[in-house]
């Protein structure tokens, strides 16, 4: 396609042509519509944080360490009510100092002290050894403050979209650009 700029170049020219043909009022309306969608999603997320007591009410399983209970790409729904005691067998999502990504593993041992302080040990169902090697240096047990949430339900493989977007950042930006363009250029009937 010599001289046409290729398929992507033609699509970009169509996009800018559509933007030029819109009057200012339509463009402002579409930008406002896009802002409403983004702010609504943010309000729903913040509402879920309040209702579930978890700083991250929904997480995606990123590894196979919990197979067969959960697979890579499963979407987990979490709660984190501090009054609920942590019990052995429960699946928790926890953060470790020095690591950005939370870990989803099962509680295998719980130590309760007389003063109500609880410490516990975790392990992935598909792992050979417990998680002491994952904790920060010198830490042998987790505490309630380390818990992001506890698994209460899941949707299988729904989170694969998130994994694909993290593995292929160009795909993520292209998808976001297409969705943004669609919202901005979509005309109300």
């Amino acid at each position: 396609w010599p001289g046409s700029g290729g398929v992507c170049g033609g699509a970009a020219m169509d996009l800018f042509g559509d933007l030029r043909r819109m009057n200012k009022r339509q463009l402002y309306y579409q930008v406002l519509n896009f802002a409403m969608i983004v702010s609504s999603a943010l309000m729903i997320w913040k509402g879920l944080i309040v209702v579930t007591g978890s700083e991250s009410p929904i997480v995606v399983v990123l590894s196979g360490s919990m197979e067969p209970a959960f697979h890579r790409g499963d979407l987990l729904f979490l709660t984190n009510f501090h009054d609920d005691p942590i019990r052995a067998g429960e699946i928790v999502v926890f953060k470790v100092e020095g690591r950005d990504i939370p870990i989803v593993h099962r509680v295998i041992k719980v130590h309760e002290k007389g003063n109500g302080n609880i410490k516990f040990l975790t392990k992935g169902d598909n792992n050979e050894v417990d998680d002491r090697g994952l904790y920060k240096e010198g830490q042998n047990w987790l505490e309630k403050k380390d818990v992001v949430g506890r698994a209460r339900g899941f949707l299988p493989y729904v989170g694969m979209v998130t994994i694909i977007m993290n593995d292929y950042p160009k795909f993520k930006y292209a998808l976001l650009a297409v969705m943004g363009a669609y919202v901005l250029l979509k005309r109300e009937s």
Side-chain angles (χ1 to χ4, degrees):
W1 300 303
S4 70
V7 175
C8 289
M13 293 307 289
D14 288 345
L15 174 71
F16 291 120
D18 284 347
L19 280 174
R20 272 191 236 113
R21 282 191 290 277
M22 269 188 192
N23 66 35
K24 284 185 180 181
R25 184 179 217 165
Q26 284 177 317
L27 184 61
Y28 291 145
Y29 177 76
Q30 294 304 96
V31 169
L32 189 60
N33 196 14
F34 182 69
M36 290 292 288
I37 291 169
V38 171
S39 62
S40 295
L42 193 58
M43 285 189 294
I44 290 169
W45 182 256
K46 291 294 185 180
L48 283 173
I49 288 173
V50 170
V51 169
T52 63
S54 175
E55 67 185 66
S56 186
I58 300 171
V59 296
V60 175
V61 177
L62 298 177
S63 75
S65 67
M66 280 302 293
E67 290 179 1
F70 298 119
H71 297 275
R72 189 169 191 248
D74 288 355
L75 192 69
L76 299 182
F77 301 101
L78 309 178
T79 62
N80 194 22
F81 302 117
H82 292 284
D83 296 340
D84 290 347
I86 292 176
R87 300 285 177 226
E90 206 171 12
I91 296 170
V92 296
V93 178
F94 61 92
K95 276 190 175 178
V96 175
E97 194 176 310
R99 292 180 176 258
D100 294 334
I101 299 173
I103 300 168
V104 179
H105 281 173
R106 189 178 305 276
V107 175
I108 58 170
K109 288 184 184 175
V110 177
H111 284 284
E112 290 186 57
K113 294 185 177 177
N115 63 1
N117 193 13
I118 296 174
K119 294 188 177 210
F120 56 94
L121 180 65
T122 57
K123 177 185 170 295
D125 289 356
N126 201 19
N127 293 349
E128 296 292 322
V129 295
D130 63 43
D131 291 341
R132 288 183 176 141
L134 296 175
Y135 304 159
K136 74 177 181 181
E137 194 170 324
Q139 182 180 12
N140 290 320
W141 300 90
L142 292 175
E143 297 177 22
K144 272 192 152 185
K145 67 176 179 57
D146 300 315
V147 175
V148 173
R150 303 180 218 190
R152 299 297 185 209
F154 76 103
L155 286 173
Y157 303 110
V158 174
M160 284 307 289
V161 174
T162 302
I163 291 173
I164 290 168
M165 288 196 303
N166 284 334
D167 289 350
Y168 305 101
K170 289 180 182 175
F171 174 73
K172 172 173 56 177
Y173 296 125
L175 185 63
L176 288 172
V178 167
M179 288 176 15
Y182 173 75
V183 170
L184 286 174
L185 298 175
K186 180 185 75 158
R187 300 190 192 265
E188 296 293 321
S189 335

